[in-house]
Amino acid sequence: MAFRQFPATTDDGESWIVIEFKDEDGGAAHSTRYELADGRALVREGGRLSTADGEVTLSLSQPYRA
C-alpha cells in the first residue's frame, strides 16, 4: 500500500489535507481511497471530495491526477 498527501480547500477557502491510499498489490483492479487526516473517509467525484454525510466538501487545491 502506498499513500500520499495533497491539499484541498472548502468553498470558503479553508485548507485541509487529504490522504490518498493506493493498494498496489497485484490484481486487475487497483483500489484507491481518500481520507481526511482525522480518519474520516472521503468520496471523490472528479475534482471534488466529500464525506458521506456531506459535512465536509472539498475541491482540489491544485491540478491533480489520480
Side-chain angles (χ1 to χ4, degrees):
M1 173 137 330
F3 72 94
R4 63 179 167 170
Q5 298 177 344
F6 57 92
T9 57
T10 62
D11 289 339
D12 62 359
E14 183 181 357
S15 295
W16 290 72
I17 296 296
V18 173
I19 305 168
E20 174 189 69
F21 296 91
K22 283 192 174 192
D23 182 7
E24 296 180 335
D25 296 338
H30 295 285
S31 64
T32 302
R33 74 178 197 274
Y34 302 92
E35 292 182 4
L36 294 173
D38 64 9
R40 286 185 282 175
L42 294 167
V43 177
R44 181 173 182 184
E45 293 182 24
R48 306 278 293 173
L49 297 139
S50 62
T51 55
D53 61 7
E55 181 180 349
V56 178
T57 300
L58 304 166
S59 296
L60 298 177
S61 297
Q62 59 190 18
Y64 173 80
R65 294 183 188 185

